[in-house]
Structure formats: structure tokens, C-alpha cells
Amino acid sequence: MMSGTQWVDCGNGVRLERGVRCRMSDGVELVSDHYYPPQSGPTESPLPALFMRQPYGRDIASTVVYAHPVWFARRGYNVVIQDVRGRGDSEGEFYPFRNEARDGAESIAWLRTRPECNGRIGMYGFSYQGLTQLLAAAERPEGLLCIAPGMCACDLYHGWFYHNGVLRFASTLGWGLQMLKVDARRLRLREASDQFEQAWSNLASQTGVLPFRDHPALLGAGLPQYVLDWFDHDRSDQYWTAMDVSQRLGSIQVPALHVSGWYDTFLSGSVQGFLDLCNYAGSDFARRHQYLVAGPWQHIPWGDRAGSMDFGPESLVDADSILLRWFNHWLKDSDEFATEPRIRHFVLGENQWRHADAWPDPLAHQHEILYLHSGGKANSRQGNGTLSIERQETDEPCDVFVYDPEVPVLAPGGVAAPSGSFDQATLELGNNVLVYTTKPLTQSLLVFGHPYVILYCSTSSAHTDFTAKLVRVRPNGTAEFICIGIARSSWLLRESGFAAEKVNLWHFGLEPTSCRFDVGDCVRLEIASSAFPLYDRNPGTGVPSCQATSWDWKRSTQIVYHDASRPAALYLPSSKVEA
């Protein structure tokens, strides 16, 4: 302990030591708060440490979803919350993700020298704090025995910022404004800070600024450039892989408890990180000890509500108790996680938890294949689009709609793109959405895994997107949003010679889900070419989206084929269940 330290009494014997400094190998000092459990100190037996590294101010400590560090300290852990480089009281320059691997590993090495620590360390936290764990683990620091990354991604490009080549626009811009607002204050840039405050007071309107790369708040004098870099690097390249662990999965050799939410921005990245480490972690031991908890949650908060849906009392899982059992198992040898299932997933609609030993293999798992049909007018839910297990046997008429970037189809949650399950019935009234629906089910259907679509489409533009949205229609007509997928022609079809007026095969996945369609429900698939501002809109020209204004927008005529030679279909990883 540091001599002369001012102690803070947190009650029940827990003490807080504020502002502990740790020097990195390049001379930069990072600052942390240390919470000590009752009766611990240099004369007491050392105990394991729980470590969190985060950029939002160490006093927050992920308490928006997890218990306060005092709660964990009461249960026999030293808890250390550190400001990452360039944030809070820590020195240095903040550039998201860039320094977290080395800084995390060096901080762990330092923690092991502290007299109150017995050398056994676990890391926790969600979102950015989740990736700091993965990056530190890839450095293989001695003493790091387990991690619990929540709602993050191993692959920044595919799992955090872009989805099949399309920018996750609302979340990227919103988070960028949030982070730069703190930078402006730290750098004492008053004019820039005032711009951010003004933008933050009406965040939903910021997605309408064009071109969005030239958003005035992002271009303030003296500000870091990382948000502009995210926009400029719209391809998966070394810029992204140098900052994540997508190319270093084999370096991670510790057990991990992954937490995901069916309505979280980083859902695909989080689930894929779990799957990738199950397959490619650096030891058989680590591969066998990857666990996933996937609930009906958005990014913040976690509970029984997400959007307009109430998921019932079973969704109110005690994440803190799960974390405690996880850390007791690996750091205190309690063996209390030994009987936990590899995957615990909440079934939307059933509103109960189920267990699985493995994630469904998209190549080997049983699929419910639902083929698209129509009389040539599937536009809106008033049209004649249907889904059926019967494959197309005739030359059915194709469906046609117009994509207009000036009037894009909105995100599932509407113009502000909030997360959660919302009724899509109003959005489905637009003729710029194709709607295909089954008859009411006569047997319940359990969907678990990654749905995907195979579409045959042509377009009048040389650049376009297609979206696919899975919806559950209740007997009363409510159209509940389940999950969505999107793909950009310049990404999905970059090697197959995409061109205007050419029929191309669009094969892409939707976000993963776990959902039950009950007897009387209908399965619905929506096809469109935007979900704005959840995703950025495709200008329809060669101008990059981030640089486009309305002068660069081009309407396009989209044609979706579904006939005997082009069997368009929705593939659901599913099984029939008893009613």
C-alpha cells in the first residue's frame, strides 16, 4: 500500500484507495481506484483481484449494468477499476483500442506485485471494457486466469462498426460524438465542447447532417481524428486488425464468459467472438471453457424491457451472481461453475431460458426453409407476398420496388433507431418494403441460431443494399421485430462482377436470435434496401456514403425474383416443438 494514502470507508469493512498510479513502459502513468474487501491489507492473506479497464471515468465502473465494485469487494475480492490511457486521470493520448493490449498486460503484471493480490486475476466489464479484456488476454499476461467480456467483439470491422460492408451508422456516430465530447473537455477546447453539447441535446437529428463525415462537431480544431478514421476505413484492412484480436485468437488461452443481448448493437460480434474462441483459442483448455449467456437485452440497460416488449420476470437474470460464481470457480477454486451449460439463451416469445451444448452449425443444422411467393405485388403488408415450405415450381412474377435514399425505409425502431422489439406494422405499409408472410402456424417453431436469406435480385444502380428483416406476427396483427440483416453490393458481390440490371445471388445472414413462433403466429420476412439510421444509406452512386450529400443520391428500381430457376428463400435454424 502507498504510505500516506487517504482511505475512504465504503461500509461493511470495504475500503477504497483512490488514485493509485501505475507507470507503463513508455513512462505514461495510468490511474486506478482500488476497493479492498473486509479485513484485507498487507498483514492479511492476499486475495484474488477483479480488474476492469474503461474509458468513461473509473467511478462509473460499468455500474450501468453491473453491481458497484463495493458489492464484489464485500464478497472477498480486491477490485481495481482503471482509467485507460488518455481518459479520466490517466496520462497519454486516447485513441480507441490502440493501446489497450500492452497497457492491459503491463497493468496486470503490476497488479501481481501488489501485496494485497495473491497473483490470481480476472477481468470483467462490457462494451469497450469487454474488448480491453480480450486485448489484454491476447498478450498472455501471467496471472490472468479468466475474463468475462460482455457485448463486444473480437473483430472490430465486422462485429462492431460494419455489417456486411454497411456502416452501423447510428451507434458509430452517437458513440463517436460521446467520446469526442470528453476529449474536447480534457483538451480544454471550449468551442468544440459547446458544439458537442449542442449536438448531444438533439442526438437523433445528428444522423441527418450531410455529408456526415463533415459533421461540424467532428471537425473541431485540435480534436482527435479517430471517428473520421472509422468512416474512411470502410473495408476490412490492417487498420482494424491491428487494433483487435481477430488475427490473434490463438494467443488467447483463458476461459471466457461472453454476455450478449438479442437487441444489442454488437450482437453479431459478441456471438461470433464466442464461436471463434470455441474454435480457435490457443489451447484445448481455453476452447472447452468458453461460455455464452444471451438474453433479451439491449446495450443498456439489461432487464425485462427492450423497445415496446415486456419479456417477463424470467428475463430479470442476476448477472452479478453469475459473474460471482464464474470468478469464484476460476479464482477461488470453488468448482461452482462446473455444471453450467456452455450456452444459456433466452427464447423470445417463450420468455424462458433454454440451455445448449453447442451453437447450431449453419451447414449441418436442420433448417426450416420458407420460400418467397407472390402474384407480383408483395409491396407492403397489403400486398400478396407469402412464405411457404413449398418451393416455387412456376415462373412466378417478380416483385419490384423503388429505393430512394432521400426517403429511406426507417430502422426497426424508427427515425432515432432505438434498440429493442418494436411493432413493424406501420413501417410495413410502405410500398418500398416487400412483405412475405406465412399462414398462421399449426405447430410451434423454435428458431435458434443465425437465420439467412438467399435472394435473386437486380437493380438499376451500380451500387445498392438489400435488407432482410425477420418478424413475428401475432394473431392480433402485431408485427414484432426479431432480427435484421443487410448487405452492400460493393462488399457482398465484390468478386462476382456486380453490375446494374444484372441478376445477382444475394446470400447473407441476419443477426442471430432465439425465438419461438407459437401456434397461430405467422413468420414474416421483409425485404427492403435501407434501415436508416441504424445503417447508413447507400447513395446509389460511386460516392462513399460518408461523403455523400443529396446531390449524390440516385433512386434505383429493385427487382426480387422468386421462380422455379431462382428459388428465393428464408432459412431458419429451427425445430418444431410441441404447442
Side-chain angles (χ1 to χ4, degrees), residues 46 254 323 342 364 441 472 502 527:
V254 295
L323 274 184
R342 292 292 300 277
L441 300 181
R472 178 179 52 208
K502 174 185 175 183
I527 302 297

Side-chain angles (χ1 to χ4, degrees), residues 294-318:
W297 308 311
Q298 54 195 341
H299 202 60
I300 303 171
W302 305 353
D304 60 1
R305 303 293 200 281
S308 59
M309 293 300 298
D310 179 354
F311 298 109
E314 289 294 318
S315 60
L316 295 170
V317 67
D318 188 347

Side-chain angles (χ1 to χ4, degrees), residues 166-483:
V166 185
L167 177 68
R168 300 177 189 273
F169 181 42
S171 60
T172 299
L173 179 63
W175 187 55
L177 291 171
Q178 176 189 1
M179 303 307 276
L180 286 175
K181 180 158 66 85
V182 177
D183 288 320
R185 290 177 179 174
R186 182 183 178 95
L187 296 169
R188 313 301 296 174
L189 301 173
R190 185 55 185 266
E191 183 177 347
S193 178
D194 289 346
Q195 280 192 308
F196 284 115
E197 293 297 341
Q198 184 177 2
W200 200 252
S201 67
N202 191 6
L203 186 59
S205 69
Q206 304 312 306
T207 57
V209 175
L210 294 170
F212 62 80
R213 194 193 184 282
D214 289 347
H215 191 297
L218 303 179
L219 302 179
L223 286 173
Q225 300 294 298
Y226 52 79
V227 177
L228 303 181
D229 292 341
W230 300 339
F231 296 155
D232 292 340
H233 289 271
D234 60 354
R235 294 288 187 272
S236 180
D237 57 22
Q238 208 257 342
Y239 168 79
W240 299 106
T241 58
M243 297 190 298
D244 64 24
V245 297
S246 61
Q247 306 302 305
R248 296 192 293 155
L249 297 168
S251 297
I252 297 177
Q253 299 185 358
V254 295
L257 173 62
H258 305 258
V259 179
S260 302
W262 295 135
Y263 296 104
D264 176 44
T265 303
F266 310 130
L267 169 60
S268 283
S270 181
V271 170
Q272 193 60 49
F274 161 74
L275 295 175
D276 286 345
L277 288 173
C278 283
N279 291 319
Y280 305 116
S283 68
D284 179 67
F285 173 78
R287 291 189 292 273
R288 287 188 290 107
H289 292 291
Q290 302 295 314
Y291 295 81
L292 174 67
V293 177
W297 308 311
Q298 54 195 341
H299 202 60
I300 303 171
W302 305 353
D304 60 1
R305 303 293 200 281
S308 59
M309 293 300 298
D310 179 354
F311 298 109
E314 289 294 318
S315 60
L316 295 170
V317 67
D318 188 347
D320 300 312
S321 294
I322 294 175
L323 274 184
L324 185 64
R325 297 203 326 272
W326 172 255
F327 289 124
N328 287 345
H329 180 93
W330 297 110
L331 303 181
K332 293 185 177 181
D333 301 321
S334 70
D335 207 36
E336 59 193 277
F337 217 79
T339 59
E340 282 292 316
R342 292 292 300 277
I343 299 171
R344 181 196 296 247
H345 61 102
F346 189 87
V347 184
L348 306 172
E350 191 171 78
N351 290 355
Q352 293 183 354
W353 293 90
R354 287 182 179 247
H355 301 163
D357 295 327
W359 188 265
D361 184 337
L363 298 178
H365 192 74
Q366 174 184 349
H367 284 82
E368 181 81 357
I369 306 175
L370 298 174
Y371 294 96
L372 282 62
H373 300 272
S374 82
K377 192 182 177 184
N379 309 77
S380 86
R381 62 181 168 87
Q382 301 178 82
N384 54 26
T386 64
L387 285 176
S388 169
I389 60 174
E390 298 175 357
R391 181 171 171 148
Q392 301 91 343
E393 295 182 352
T394 62
D395 291 333
E396 297 182 3
C398 56
D399 291 306
V400 184
F401 69 96
V402 175
Y403 164 62
D404 186 350
E406 190 163 7
V407 190
V409 174
L410 294 180
V415 67
S419 299
S421 182
F422 296 92
D423 188 353
Q424 303 300 289
T426 299
L427 285 175
E428 292 168 349
L429 290 174
N431 279 341
N432 53 359
V433 180
L434 302 181
V435 179
Y436 304 90
T437 311
T438 65
K439 293 179 179 179
L441 300 181
T442 58
Q443 188 173 4
S444 295
L445 188 68
L446 182 66
V447 177
F448 173 48
H450 283 84
Y452 66 93
V453 291
I454 291 180
L455 305 174
Y456 298 85
C457 309
S458 68
T459 173
S460 61
S461 295
H463 302 270
T464 199
D465 300 341
F466 276 96
T467 66
K469 186 194 302 179
L470 178 63
V471 173
R472 178 179 52 208
V473 184
R474 293 301 201 182
N476 65 1
T478 302
E480 298 172 357
F481 167 65
I482 302 299
C483 60

